[in-house]
Amino acid sequence: ACKASRVDKCTEIIMFLDKQAALFVETADSLFTISKERLSNASFPVFGLQSAVDVLVTGTYSRLPLCIKDKIILSPTLSDKEKTDTLNYEEQFRRVQAEIV
């Protein structure tokens, strides 16, 4: 009686594994069929090769349309204090430069 219950458990496990293997094979076959029938016309989009080369070579992207650039990339504006500080620094620099020469 004890051995019979072990055999029954093993039989159940074998049946479960056989079912899982059949589902795996069916899934693999379905994926293969889909890839050949439905995805045969699928392709990658055309990538912007010129833009990629520009970015890699120059480190910048110069082809961004101005309508996007103006809305997204804000040009940094200096405050009045920053302008005054910059002019004062430039004036000091020119004085030092004049003294050296």
Side-chain angles (χ1 to χ4, degrees):
C2 183
K3 288 183 180 181
S5 67
R6 288 183 183 170
V7 170
D8 289 340
K9 281 188 177 183
C10 289
T11 304
E12 288 177 16
I13 291 172
I14 290 171
M15 288 174 52
F16 174 76
L17 292 175
D18 284 343
K19 184 178 178 181
Q20 292 297 313
L23 290 172
F24 180 77
V25 169
E26 181 183 345
T27 303
D29 289 343
S30 297
L31 288 174
F32 179 78
T33 302
I34 288 171
S35 71
K36 291 298 179 188
E37 293 174 0
R38 297 184 187 165
L39 298 178
S40 62
N41 296 329
S43 63
F44 284 110
V46 178
F47 296 107
L49 187 59
Q50 289 179 340
S51 301
V53 169
D54 284 348
V55 170
L56 291 174
V57 172
T58 64
T60 60
Y61 182 68
S62 60
R63 299 170 191 256
L64 188 65
L66 290 178
C67 62
I68 296 173
K69 186 176 182 179
D70 293 342
K71 291 182 180 180
I72 296 176
I73 303 173
L74 302 175
S75 60
T77 56
L78 297 176
S79 67
D80 289 338
K81 183 181 182 320
E82 290 173 328
K83 289 177 186 177
T84 305
D85 291 344
T86 303
L87 289 174
N88 288 336
Y89 176 76
E90 183 181 352
E91 184 180 338
Q92 289 173 359
F93 177 77
R94 289 184 185 219
R95 285 183 188 165
V96 170
Q97 188 178 18
E99 290 175 8
I100 293 173
V101 176

PDB file of all heavy atoms in Angstrom, residues 10-50:
ATOM      1  N   CYS A  10       4.598   9.536  -8.148  1.00  0.00           N
ATOM      2  CA  CYS A  10       5.556   9.629  -9.252  1.00  0.00           C
ATOM      3  C   CYS A  10       4.835   9.716 -10.589  1.00  0.00           C
ATOM      4  O   CYS A  10       5.246  10.473 -11.476  1.00  0.00           O
ATOM      5  CB  CYS A  10       6.499   8.433  -9.235  1.00  0.00           C
ATOM      6  SG  CYS A  10       7.678   8.470  -7.864  1.00  0.00           S
ATOM      7  N   THR A  11       3.767   8.945 -10.729  1.00  0.00           N
ATOM      8  CA  THR A  11       2.987   8.983 -11.965  1.00  0.00           C
ATOM      9  C   THR A  11       2.378  10.366 -12.167  1.00  0.00           C
ATOM     10  O   THR A  11       2.395  10.898 -13.284  1.00  0.00           O
ATOM     11  CB  THR A  11       1.883   7.910 -11.933  1.00  0.00           C
ATOM     12  OG1 THR A  11       2.471   6.625 -11.692  1.00  0.00           O
ATOM     13  CG2 THR A  11       1.108   7.878 -13.227  1.00  0.00           C
ATOM     14  N   GLU A  12       1.860  10.965 -11.104  1.00  0.00           N
ATOM     15  CA  GLU A  12       1.289  12.316 -11.189  1.00  0.00           C
ATOM     16  C   GLU A  12       2.361  13.330 -11.580  1.00  0.00           C
ATOM     17  O   GLU A  12       2.115  14.228 -12.407  1.00  0.00           O
ATOM     18  CB  GLU A  12       0.642  12.705  -9.866  1.00  0.00           C
ATOM     19  CG  GLU A  12      -0.645  11.980  -9.557  1.00  0.00           C
ATOM     20  CD  GLU A  12      -1.195  12.357  -8.183  1.00  0.00           C
ATOM     21  OE1 GLU A  12      -0.750  13.392  -7.612  1.00  0.00           O
ATOM     22  OE2 GLU A  12      -2.056  11.630  -7.685  1.00  0.00           O
ATOM     23  N   ILE A  13       3.546  13.207 -11.001  1.00  0.00           N
ATOM     24  CA  ILE A  13       4.633  14.132 -11.310  1.00  0.00           C
ATOM     25  C   ILE A  13       5.043  13.983 -12.770  1.00  0.00           C
ATOM     26  O   ILE A  13       5.242  14.975 -13.476  1.00  0.00           O
ATOM     27  CB  ILE A  13       5.827  13.904 -10.361  1.00  0.00           C
ATOM     28  CG1 ILE A  13       5.467  14.337  -8.945  1.00  0.00           C
ATOM     29  CG2 ILE A  13       7.062  14.646 -10.856  1.00  0.00           C
ATOM     30  CD1 ILE A  13       6.503  13.969  -7.891  1.00  0.00           C
ATOM     31  N   ILE A  14       5.142  12.748 -13.235  1.00  0.00           N
ATOM     32  CA  ILE A  14       5.523  12.500 -14.627  1.00  0.00           C
ATOM     33  C   ILE A  14       4.470  13.071 -15.573  1.00  0.00           C
ATOM     34  O   ILE A  14       4.803  13.709 -16.589  1.00  0.00           O
ATOM     35  CB  ILE A  14       5.743  10.989 -14.869  1.00  0.00           C
ATOM     36  CG1 ILE A  14       7.008  10.528 -14.146  1.00  0.00           C
ATOM     37  CG2 ILE A  14       5.816  10.682 -16.357  1.00  0.00           C
ATOM     38  CD1 ILE A  14       7.205   9.032 -14.144  1.00  0.00           C
ATOM     39  N   MET A  15       3.209  12.887 -15.257  1.00  0.00           N
ATOM     40  CA  MET A  15       2.135  13.428 -16.099  1.00  0.00           C
ATOM     41  C   MET A  15       2.181  14.954 -16.126  1.00  0.00           C
ATOM     42  O   MET A  15       2.016  15.579 -17.186  1.00  0.00           O
ATOM     43  CB  MET A  15       0.769  12.928 -15.606  1.00  0.00           C
ATOM     44  CG  MET A  15       0.522  11.452 -15.886  1.00  0.00           C
ATOM     45  SD  MET A  15      -0.994  10.795 -15.180  1.00  0.00           S
ATOM     46  CE  MET A  15      -2.224  11.928 -15.759  1.00  0.00           C
ATOM     47  N   PHE A  16       2.438  15.573 -14.974  1.00  0.00           N
ATOM     48  CA  PHE A  16       2.533  17.024 -14.901  1.00  0.00           C
ATOM     49  C   PHE A  16       3.700  17.528 -15.757  1.00  0.00           C
ATOM     50  O   PHE A  16       3.569  18.479 -16.524  1.00  0.00           O
ATOM     51  CB  PHE A  16       2.699  17.464 -13.441  1.00  0.00           C
ATOM     52  CG  PHE A  16       2.944  18.933 -13.293  1.00  0.00           C
ATOM     53  CD1 PHE A  16       1.915  19.847 -13.433  1.00  0.00           C
ATOM     54  CD2 PHE A  16       4.217  19.414 -13.022  1.00  0.00           C
ATOM     55  CE1 PHE A  16       2.139  21.207 -13.296  1.00  0.00           C
ATOM     56  CE2 PHE A  16       4.462  20.777 -12.891  1.00  0.00           C
ATOM     57  CZ  PHE A  16       3.418  21.678 -13.028  1.00  0.00           C
ATOM     58  N   LEU A  17       4.856  16.872 -15.630  1.00  0.00           N
ATOM     59  CA  LEU A  17       6.019  17.284 -16.408  1.00  0.00           C
ATOM     60  C   LEU A  17       5.806  17.074 -17.909  1.00  0.00           C
ATOM     61  O   LEU A  17       6.245  17.889 -18.723  1.00  0.00           O
ATOM     62  CB  LEU A  17       7.266  16.545 -15.926  1.00  0.00           C
ATOM     63  CG  LEU A  17       7.744  16.919 -14.508  1.00  0.00           C
ATOM     64  CD1 LEU A  17       8.910  16.034 -14.106  1.00  0.00           C
ATOM     65  CD2 LEU A  17       8.125  18.384 -14.441  1.00  0.00           C
ATOM     66  N   ASP A  18       5.131  15.993 -18.275  1.00  0.00           N
ATOM     67  CA  ASP A  18       4.818  15.762 -19.686  1.00  0.00           C
ATOM     68  C   ASP A  18       3.894  16.856 -20.226  1.00  0.00           C
ATOM     69  O   ASP A  18       4.067  17.333 -21.356  1.00  0.00           O
ATOM     70  CB  ASP A  18       4.156  14.391 -19.881  1.00  0.00           C
ATOM     71  CG  ASP A  18       5.150  13.244 -19.807  1.00  0.00           C
ATOM     72  OD1 ASP A  18       6.372  13.507 -19.938  1.00  0.00           O
ATOM     73  OD2 ASP A  18       4.708  12.091 -19.619  1.00  0.00           O
ATOM     74  N   LYS A  19       2.920  17.271 -19.416  1.00  0.00           N
ATOM     75  CA  LYS A  19       2.003  18.337 -19.818  1.00  0.00           C
ATOM     76  C   LYS A  19       2.772  19.653 -19.998  1.00  0.00           C
ATOM     77  O   LYS A  19       2.560  20.378 -20.965  1.00  0.00           O
ATOM     78  CB  LYS A  19       0.897  18.490 -18.773  1.00  0.00           C
ATOM     79  CG  LYS A  19      -0.139  19.511 -19.157  1.00  0.00           C
ATOM     80  CD  LYS A  19      -1.248  19.586 -18.115  1.00  0.00           C
ATOM     81  CE  LYS A  19      -2.256  20.642 -18.486  1.00  0.00           C
ATOM     82  NZ  LYS A  19      -3.337  20.756 -17.496  1.00  0.00           N
ATOM     83  N   GLN A  20       3.673  19.961 -19.059  1.00  0.00           N
ATOM     84  CA  GLN A  20       4.484  21.180 -19.148  1.00  0.00           C
ATOM     85  C   GLN A  20       5.371  21.153 -20.393  1.00  0.00           C
ATOM     86  O   GLN A  20       5.517  22.156 -21.092  1.00  0.00           O
ATOM     87  CB  GLN A  20       5.347  21.340 -17.892  1.00  0.00           C
ATOM     88  CG  GLN A  20       4.556  21.630 -16.632  1.00  0.00           C
ATOM     89  CD  GLN A  20       3.809  22.950 -16.706  1.00  0.00           C
ATOM     90  OE1 GLN A  20       4.362  23.957 -17.097  1.00  0.00           O
ATOM     91  NE2 GLN A  20       2.541  22.921 -16.343  1.00  0.00           N
ATOM     92  N   ALA A  21       5.955  19.998 -20.691  1.00  0.00           N
ATOM     93  CA  ALA A  21       6.808  19.872 -21.872  1.00  0.00           C
ATOM     94  C   ALA A  21       5.982  20.089 -23.142  1.00  0.00           C
ATOM     95  O   ALA A  21       6.439  20.756 -24.082  1.00  0.00           O
ATOM     96  CB  ALA A  21       7.491  18.510 -21.887  1.00  0.00           C
ATOM     97  N   ALA A  22       4.772  19.535 -23.179  1.00  0.00           N
ATOM     98  CA  ALA A  22       3.908  19.707 -24.351  1.00  0.00           C
ATOM     99  C   ALA A  22       3.529  21.174 -24.527  1.00  0.00           C
ATOM    100  O   ALA A  22       3.524  21.700 -25.656  1.00  0.00           O
ATOM    101  CB  ALA A  22       2.659  18.838 -24.210  1.00  0.00           C
ATOM    102  N   LEU A  23       3.219  21.870 -23.424  1.00  0.00           N
ATOM    103  CA  LEU A  23       2.900  23.297 -23.505  1.00  0.00           C
ATOM    104  C   LEU A  23       4.106  24.104 -23.984  1.00  0.00           C
ATOM    105  O   LEU A  23       3.973  25.056 -24.764  1.00  0.00           O
ATOM    106  CB  LEU A  23       2.419  23.813 -22.144  1.00  0.00           C
ATOM    107  CG  LEU A  23       1.045  23.321 -21.689  1.00  0.00           C
ATOM    108  CD1 LEU A  23       0.778  23.760 -20.243  1.00  0.00           C
ATOM    109  CD2 LEU A  23      -0.034  23.852 -22.614  1.00  0.00           C
ATOM    110  N   PHE A  24       5.283  23.738 -23.526  1.00  0.00           N
ATOM    111  CA  PHE A  24       6.499  24.425 -23.950  1.00  0.00           C
ATOM    112  C   PHE A  24       6.717  24.260 -25.453  1.00  0.00           C
ATOM    113  O   PHE A  24       7.011  25.232 -26.166  1.00  0.00           O
ATOM    114  CB  PHE A  24       7.701  23.883 -23.163  1.00  0.00           C
ATOM    115  CG  PHE A  24       8.996  24.531 -23.531  1.00  0.00           C
ATOM    116  CD1 PHE A  24       9.321  25.794 -23.071  1.00  0.00           C
ATOM    117  CD2 PHE A  24       9.893  23.870 -24.350  1.00  0.00           C
ATOM    118  CE1 PHE A  24      10.517  26.393 -23.419  1.00  0.00           C
ATOM    119  CE2 PHE A  24      11.098  24.457 -24.701  1.00  0.00           C
ATOM    120  CZ  PHE A  24      11.411  25.729 -24.234  1.00  0.00           C
ATOM    121  N   VAL A  25       6.563  23.046 -25.952  1.00  0.00           N
ATOM    122  CA  VAL A  25       6.746  22.778 -27.380  1.00  0.00           C
ATOM    123  C   VAL A  25       5.688  23.524 -28.190  1.00  0.00           C
ATOM    124  O   VAL A  25       5.987  24.129 -29.230  1.00  0.00           O
ATOM    125  CB  VAL A  25       6.702  21.260 -27.665  1.00  0.00           C
ATOM    126  CG1 VAL A  25       6.617  20.983 -29.152  1.00  0.00           C
ATOM    127  CG2 VAL A  25       7.907  20.574 -27.045  1.00  0.00           C
ATOM    128  N   GLU A  26       4.447  23.519 -27.717  1.00  0.00           N
ATOM    129  CA  GLU A  26       3.368  24.221 -28.417  1.00  0.00           C
ATOM    130  C   GLU A  26       3.642  25.724 -28.481  1.00  0.00           C
ATOM    131  O   GLU A  26       3.450  26.369 -29.510  1.00  0.00           O
ATOM    132  CB  GLU A  26       2.034  23.953 -27.711  1.00  0.00           C
ATOM    133  CG  GLU A  26       0.846  24.621 -28.378  1.00  0.00           C
ATOM    134  CD  GLU A  26      -0.449  24.399 -27.605  1.00  0.00           C
ATOM    135  OE1 GLU A  26      -0.490  23.514 -26.729  1.00  0.00           O
ATOM    136  OE2 GLU A  26      -1.405  25.138 -27.884  1.00  0.00           O
ATOM    137  N   THR A  27       4.119  26.300 -27.372  1.00  0.00           N
ATOM    138  CA  THR A  27       4.437  27.720 -27.337  1.00  0.00           C
ATOM    139  C   THR A  27       5.574  28.049 -28.293  1.00  0.00           C
ATOM    140  O   THR A  27       5.517  29.030 -29.038  1.00  0.00           O
ATOM    141  CB  THR A  27       4.811  28.149 -25.909  1.00  0.00           C
ATOM    142  OG1 THR A  27       3.724  27.836 -25.029  1.00  0.00           O
ATOM    143  CG2 THR A  27       5.117  29.632 -25.835  1.00  0.00           C
ATOM    144  N   ALA A  28       6.619  27.241 -28.285  1.00  0.00           N
ATOM    145  CA  ALA A  28       7.745  27.463 -29.191  1.00  0.00           C
ATOM    146  C   ALA A  28       7.294  27.377 -30.645  1.00  0.00           C
ATOM    147  O   ALA A  28       7.692  28.215 -31.477  1.00  0.00           O
ATOM    148  CB  ALA A  28       8.852  26.462 -28.907  1.00  0.00           C
ATOM    149  N   ASP A  29       6.451  26.418 -30.973  1.00  0.00           N
ATOM    150  CA  ASP A  29       5.942  26.282 -32.337  1.00  0.00           C
ATOM    151  C   ASP A  29       5.089  27.497 -32.730  1.00  0.00           C
ATOM    152  O   ASP A  29       5.197  28.009 -33.849  1.00  0.00           O
ATOM    153  CB  ASP A  29       5.116  25.002 -32.487  1.00  0.00           C
ATOM    154  CG  ASP A  29       5.969  23.746 -32.438  1.00  0.00           C
ATOM    155  OD1 ASP A  29       7.204  23.861 -32.610  1.00  0.00           O
ATOM    156  OD2 ASP A  29       5.395  22.653 -32.220  1.00  0.00           O
ATOM    157  N   SER A  30       4.263  27.963 -31.804  1.00  0.00           N
ATOM    158  CA  SER A  30       3.416  29.132 -32.082  1.00  0.00           C
ATOM    159  C   SER A  30       4.264  30.372 -32.308  1.00  0.00           C
ATOM    160  O   SER A  30       4.001  31.164 -33.224  1.00  0.00           O
ATOM    161  CB  SER A  30       2.445  29.382 -30.929  1.00  0.00           C
ATOM    162  OG  SER A  30       1.569  28.305 -30.773  1.00  0.00           O
ATOM    163  N   LEU A  31       5.282  30.571 -31.492  1.00  0.00           N
ATOM    164  CA  LEU A  31       6.161  31.733 -31.662  1.00  0.00           C
ATOM    165  C   LEU A  31       6.900  31.676 -32.997  1.00  0.00           C
ATOM    166  O   LEU A  31       7.072  32.698 -33.666  1.00  0.00           O
ATOM    167  CB  LEU A  31       7.147  31.826 -30.499  1.00  0.00           C
ATOM    168  CG  LEU A  31       6.553  32.256 -29.164  1.00  0.00           C
ATOM    169  CD1 LEU A  31       7.611  32.154 -28.069  1.00  0.00           C
ATOM    170  CD2 LEU A  31       6.004  33.665 -29.252  1.00  0.00           C
ATOM    171  N   PHE A  32       7.334  30.496 -33.386  1.00  0.00           N
ATOM    172  CA  PHE A  32       8.011  30.334 -34.676  1.00  0.00           C
ATOM    173  C   PHE A  32       7.062  30.665 -35.824  1.00  0.00           C
ATOM    174  O   PHE A  32       7.427  31.379 -36.764  1.00  0.00           O
ATOM    175  CB  PHE A  32       8.549  28.906 -34.819  1.00  0.00           C
ATOM    176  CG  PHE A  32       9.229  28.663 -36.126  1.00  0.00           C
ATOM    177  CD1 PHE A  32      10.520  29.113 -36.344  1.00  0.00           C
ATOM    178  CD2 PHE A  32       8.568  27.994 -37.147  1.00  0.00           C
ATOM    179  CE1 PHE A  32      11.159  28.902 -37.555  1.00  0.00           C
ATOM    180  CE2 PHE A  32       9.195  27.773 -38.367  1.00  0.00           C
ATOM    181  CZ  PHE A  32      10.484  28.224 -38.566  1.00  0.00           C
ATOM    182  N   THR A  33       5.826  30.176 -35.738  1.00  0.00           N
ATOM    183  CA  THR A  33       4.837  30.437 -36.782  1.00  0.00           C
ATOM    184  C   THR A  33       4.536  31.925 -36.877  1.00  0.00           C
ATOM    185  O   THR A  33       4.478  32.490 -37.976  1.00  0.00           O
ATOM    186  CB  THR A  33       3.537  29.660 -36.493  1.00  0.00           C
ATOM    187  OG1 THR A  33       3.843  28.270 -36.403  1.00  0.00           O
ATOM    188  CG2 THR A  33       2.510  29.886 -37.583  1.00  0.00           C
ATOM    189  N   ILE A  34       4.367  32.568 -35.737  1.00  0.00           N
ATOM    190  CA  ILE A  34       4.096  34.011 -35.732  1.00  0.00           C
ATOM    191  C   ILE A  34       5.257  34.772 -36.347  1.00  0.00           C
ATOM    192  O   ILE A  34       5.065  35.701 -37.143  1.00  0.00           O
ATOM    193  CB  ILE A  34       3.823  34.503 -34.295  1.00  0.00           C
ATOM    194  CG1 ILE A  34       2.468  34.005 -33.811  1.00  0.00           C
ATOM    195  CG2 ILE A  34       3.876  36.023 -34.209  1.00  0.00           C
ATOM    196  CD1 ILE A  34       2.209  34.261 -32.336  1.00  0.00           C
ATOM    197  N   SER A  35       6.469  34.393 -35.994  1.00  0.00           N
ATOM    198  CA  SER A  35       7.631  35.113 -36.516  1.00  0.00           C
ATOM    199  C   SER A  35       7.759  34.970 -38.023  1.00  0.00           C
ATOM    200  O   SER A  35       8.220  35.892 -38.697  1.00  0.00           O
ATOM    201  CB  SER A  35       8.907  34.629 -35.831  1.00  0.00           C
ATOM    202  OG  SER A  35       9.245  33.330 -36.256  1.00  0.00           O
ATOM    203  N   LYS A  36       7.369  33.841 -38.570  1.00  0.00           N
ATOM    204  CA  LYS A  36       7.489  33.629 -40.015  1.00  0.00           C
ATOM    205  C   LYS A  36       6.318  34.224 -40.800  1.00  0.00           C
ATOM    206  O   LYS A  36       6.504  34.773 -41.879  1.00  0.00           O
ATOM    207  CB  LYS A  36       7.592  32.132 -40.335  1.00  0.00           C
ATOM    208  CG  LYS A  36       8.889  31.516 -39.884  1.00  0.00           C
ATOM    209  CD  LYS A  36      10.045  32.173 -40.598  1.00  0.00           C
ATOM    210  CE  LYS A  36      11.360  31.590 -40.151  1.00  0.00           C
ATOM    211  NZ  LYS A  36      12.502  32.296 -40.666  1.00  0.00           N
ATOM    212  N   GLU A  37       5.115  34.147 -40.255  1.00  0.00           N
ATOM    213  CA  GLU A  37       3.931  34.583 -40.998  1.00  0.00           C
ATOM    214  C   GLU A  37       3.604  36.052 -40.780  1.00  0.00           C
ATOM    215  O   GLU A  37       3.423  36.799 -41.731  1.00  0.00           O
ATOM    216  CB  GLU A  37       2.724  33.727 -40.608  1.00  0.00           C
ATOM    217  CG  GLU A  37       2.841  32.285 -41.057  1.00  0.00           C
ATOM    218  CD  GLU A  37       1.705  31.440 -40.546  1.00  0.00           C
ATOM    219  OE1 GLU A  37       0.821  31.966 -39.836  1.00  0.00           O
ATOM    220  OE2 GLU A  37       1.694  30.230 -40.840  1.00  0.00           O
ATOM    221  N   ARG A  38       3.527  36.454 -39.544  1.00  0.00           N
ATOM    222  CA  ARG A  38       3.028  37.797 -39.243  1.00  0.00           C
ATOM    223  C   ARG A  38       4.121  38.852 -39.153  1.00  0.00           C
ATOM    224  O   ARG A  38       3.862  40.025 -39.373  1.00  0.00           O
ATOM    225  CB  ARG A  38       2.239  37.772 -37.938  1.00  0.00           C
ATOM    226  CG  ARG A  38       1.015  36.895 -38.027  1.00  0.00           C
ATOM    227  CD  ARG A  38       0.214  36.951 -36.776  1.00  0.00           C
ATOM    228  NE  ARG A  38      -0.863  35.971 -36.814  1.00  0.00           N
ATOM    229  CZ  ARG A  38      -1.539  35.592 -35.769  1.00  0.00           C
ATOM    230  NH1 ARG A  38      -1.259  36.102 -34.594  1.00  0.00           N
ATOM    231  NH2 ARG A  38      -2.495  34.709 -35.893  1.00  0.00           N
ATOM    232  N   LEU A  39       5.322  38.454 -38.810  1.00  0.00           N
ATOM    233  CA  LEU A  39       6.386  39.433 -38.620  1.00  0.00           C
ATOM    234  C   LEU A  39       7.368  39.479 -39.779  1.00  0.00           C
ATOM    235  O   LEU A  39       8.423  40.108 -39.671  1.00  0.00           O
ATOM    236  CB  LEU A  39       7.141  39.130 -37.314  1.00  0.00           C
ATOM    237  CG  LEU A  39       6.318  39.216 -36.030  1.00  0.00           C
ATOM    238  CD1 LEU A  39       7.181  38.848 -34.837  1.00  0.00           C
ATOM    239  CD2 LEU A  39       5.745  40.602 -35.850  1.00  0.00           C
ATOM    240  N   SER A  40       7.021  38.852 -40.882  1.00  0.00           N
ATOM    241  CA  SER A  40       7.957  38.826 -42.009  1.00  0.00           C
ATOM    242  C   SER A  40       8.163  40.213 -42.596  1.00  0.00           C
ATOM    243  O   SER A  40       9.227  40.517 -43.131  1.00  0.00           O
ATOM    244  CB  SER A  40       7.471  37.857 -43.081  1.00  0.00           C
ATOM    245  OG  SER A  40       6.214  38.284 -43.576  1.00  0.00           O
ATOM    246  N   ASN A  41       7.155  41.091 -42.511  1.00  0.00           N
ATOM    247  CA  ASN A  41       7.264  42.438 -43.067  1.00  0.00           C
ATOM    248  C   ASN A  41       7.735  43.462 -42.039  1.00  0.00           C
ATOM    249  O   ASN A  41       7.910  44.637 -42.380  1.00  0.00           O
ATOM    250  CB  ASN A  41       5.930  42.883 -43.650  1.00  0.00           C
ATOM    251  CG  ASN A  41       5.520  42.023 -44.829  1.00  0.00           C
ATOM    252  OD1 ASN A  41       6.371  41.526 -45.549  1.00  0.00           O
ATOM    253  ND2 ASN A  41       4.235  41.834 -45.012  1.00  0.00           N
ATOM    254  N   ALA A  42       7.906  43.032 -40.820  1.00  0.00           N
ATOM    255  CA  ALA A  42       8.340  43.965 -39.780  1.00  0.00           C
ATOM    256  C   ALA A  42       9.810  44.320 -39.997  1.00  0.00           C
ATOM    257  O   ALA A  42      10.617  43.495 -40.395  1.00  0.00           O
ATOM    258  CB  ALA A  42       8.150  43.339 -38.398  1.00  0.00           C
ATOM    259  N   SER A  43      10.123  45.581 -39.729  1.00  0.00           N
ATOM    260  CA  SER A  43      11.509  46.007 -39.889  1.00  0.00           C
ATOM    261  C   SER A  43      11.819  47.112 -38.880  1.00  0.00           C
ATOM    262  O   SER A  43      10.917  47.695 -38.280  1.00  0.00           O
ATOM    263  CB  SER A  43      11.755  46.510 -41.306  1.00  0.00           C
ATOM    264  OG  SER A  43      10.959  47.653 -41.542  1.00  0.00           O
ATOM    265  N   PHE A  44      13.078  47.387 -38.730  1.00  0.00           N
ATOM    266  CA  PHE A  44      13.501  48.461 -37.841  1.00  0.00           C
ATOM    267  C   PHE A  44      13.220  49.811 -38.486  1.00  0.00           C
ATOM    268  O   PHE A  44      13.261  49.938 -39.707  1.00  0.00           O
ATOM    269  CB  PHE A  44      15.007  48.357 -37.557  1.00  0.00           C
ATOM    270  CG  PHE A  44      15.369  47.285 -36.592  1.00  0.00           C
ATOM    271  CD1 PHE A  44      16.047  46.160 -37.010  1.00  0.00           C
ATOM    272  CD2 PHE A  44      15.036  47.406 -35.256  1.00  0.00           C
ATOM    273  CE1 PHE A  44      16.386  45.170 -36.122  1.00  0.00           C
ATOM    274  CE2 PHE A  44      15.365  46.415 -34.364  1.00  0.00           C
ATOM    275  CZ  PHE A  44      16.047  45.292 -34.783  1.00  0.00           C
ATOM    276  N   PRO A  45      12.997  50.842 -37.686  1.00  0.00           N
ATOM    277  CA  PRO A  45      12.824  52.168 -38.272  1.00  0.00           C
ATOM    278  C   PRO A  45      14.149  52.676 -38.828  1.00  0.00           C
ATOM    279  O   PRO A  45      15.218  52.204 -38.444  1.00  0.00           O
ATOM    280  CB  PRO A  45      12.368  53.018 -37.074  1.00  0.00           C
ATOM    281  CG  PRO A  45      12.890  52.304 -35.886  1.00  0.00           C
ATOM    282  CD  PRO A  45      12.879  50.841 -36.238  1.00  0.00           C
ATOM    283  N   VAL A  46      14.052  53.627 -39.720  1.00  0.00           N
ATOM    284  CA  VAL A  46      15.253  54.220 -40.288  1.00  0.00           C
ATOM    285  C   VAL A  46      15.838  55.160 -39.246  1.00  0.00           C
ATOM    286  O   VAL A  46      15.194  56.095 -38.790  1.00  0.00           O
ATOM    287  CB  VAL A  46      14.917  54.993 -41.578  1.00  0.00           C
ATOM    288  CG1 VAL A  46      16.152  55.660 -42.139  1.00  0.00           C
ATOM    289  CG2 VAL A  46      14.301  54.054 -42.600  1.00  0.00           C
ATOM    290  N   PHE A  47      17.050  54.873 -38.843  1.00  0.00           N
ATOM    291  CA  PHE A  47      17.690  55.688 -37.826  1.00  0.00           C
ATOM    292  C   PHE A  47      18.379  56.873 -38.485  1.00  0.00           C
ATOM    293  O   PHE A  47      18.834  56.788 -39.619  1.00  0.00           O
ATOM    294  CB  PHE A  47      18.712  54.865 -37.031  1.00  0.00           C
ATOM    295  CG  PHE A  47      18.080  53.755 -36.259  1.00  0.00           C
ATOM    296  CD1 PHE A  47      18.224  52.441 -36.669  1.00  0.00           C
ATOM    297  CD2 PHE A  47      17.338  54.022 -35.126  1.00  0.00           C
ATOM    298  CE1 PHE A  47      17.648  51.405 -35.955  1.00  0.00           C
ATOM    299  CE2 PHE A  47      16.754  53.000 -34.406  1.00  0.00           C
ATOM    300  CZ  PHE A  47      16.904  51.689 -34.822  1.00  0.00           C
ATOM    301  N   GLY A  48      18.472  57.988 -37.755  1.00  0.00           N
ATOM    302  CA  GLY A  48      19.119  59.185 -38.261  1.00  0.00           C
ATOM    303  C   GLY A  48      20.625  59.036 -38.179  1.00  0.00           C
ATOM    304  O   GLY A  48      21.251  59.473 -37.212  1.00  0.00           O
ATOM    305  N   LEU A  49      21.207  58.435 -39.184  1.00  0.00           N
ATOM    306  CA  LEU A  49      22.639  58.161 -39.173  1.00  0.00           C
ATOM    307  C   LEU A  49      23.456  59.445 -39.201  1.00  0.00           C
ATOM    308  O   LEU A  49      24.446  59.573 -38.482  1.00  0.00           O
ATOM    309  CB  LEU A  49      23.006  57.265 -40.355  1.00  0.00           C
ATOM    310  CG  LEU A  49      24.433  56.748 -40.391  1.00  0.00           C
ATOM    311  CD1 LEU A  49      24.733  55.937 -39.147  1.00  0.00           C
ATOM    312  CD2 LEU A  49      24.661  55.905 -41.619  1.00  0.00           C
ATOM    313  N   GLN A  50      23.035  60.423 -40.004  1.00  0.00           N
ATOM    314  CA  GLN A  50      23.780  61.684 -40.081  1.00  0.00           C
ATOM    315  C   GLN A  50      23.791  62.395 -38.729  1.00  0.00           C
ATOM    316  O   GLN A  50      24.818  62.922 -38.299  1.00  0.00           O
ATOM    317  CB  GLN A  50      23.184  62.599 -41.131  1.00  0.00           C
ATOM    318  CG  GLN A  50      23.427  62.124 -42.547  1.00  0.00           C
ATOM    319  CD  GLN A  50      22.791  63.046 -43.564  1.00  0.00           C
ATOM    320  OE1 GLN A  50      21.889  63.803 -43.249  1.00  0.00           O
ATOM    321  NE2 GLN A  50      23.263  62.975 -44.797  1.00  0.00           N
TER     322      GLN A  50
END
